[in-house]
Amino acid sequence: MERKALIAAMLPIVVILTGAKGCQTLDARAEAAAQTKGQAAAAIEFPDLPAACTAHVVRVKPKIGEKFRWINQRWEVTADNRDLLADDCAAWGLDMQTQYAGSR
């Protein structure tokens, strides 16, 4: 018996909520559709980041018996390599900025 009473109480609420969706005017629906279509047309898919932008610095792990100057030299090589990757990423980013600035 409680179940029927609950259904009877909920029925008017469900009818009101489902009926309210169709109360928009035709102009309002057309405006919403135009806005959605415009947003989809204006969206620009950003390309994937190159490996240079996401690369980490290679770690230099000392070996037993290795002199400090050799360790330091290896570290400088890995740091230089990472700097080159960062320069590549900066050039790529500048290129993307100029490309996307021209497409607006």
Side-chain angles (χ1 to χ4, degrees), residues 38-59:
Q39 287 174 345
I44 297 173
E45 188 173 325
F46 197 76
D48 292 334
L49 293 174
C53 290
T54 58
H56 291 201
V57 176
V58 178
R59 303 293 187 253

Side-chain angles (χ1 to χ4, degrees), residues 7 18 20 27 37 55 101:
I7 292 173
T18 56
D27 290 337
K37 186 176 178 181

Side-chain angles (χ1 to χ4, degrees), residues 4-37:
K4 288 182 180 181
L6 181 63
I7 292 173
M10 295 293 286
L11 189 61
I13 295 171
V14 171
V15 170
I16 290 171
L17 290 177
T18 56
K21 190 168 60 170
C23 290
Q24 286 181 326
T25 64
L26 188 58
D27 290 337
R29 288 183 191 176
E31 185 177 328
Q35 182 179 4
T36 303
K37 186 176 178 181

Side-chain angles (χ1 to χ4, degrees), residues 43-103:
I44 297 173
E45 188 173 325
F46 197 76
D48 292 334
L49 293 174
C53 290
T54 58
H56 291 201
V57 176
V58 178
R59 303 293 187 253
V60 176
K61 296 180 181 169
K63 297 173 186 163
I64 296 174
E66 188 175 26
K67 297 188 184 238
F68 177 75
R69 67 176 176 260
W70 295 343
I71 297 168
N72 193 39
Q73 184 179 12
R74 282 190 7 224
W75 181 85
E76 287 178 5
V77 168
T78 60
D80 288 342
N81 289 341
R82 182 62 188 108
D83 289 344
L84 287 173
L85 289 173
D87 292 342
D88 289 345
C89 186
W92 175 83
L94 185 60
D95 184 44
M96 288 297 108
Q97 284 179 345
T98 55
Q99 281 183 2
Y100 284 113
S103 67

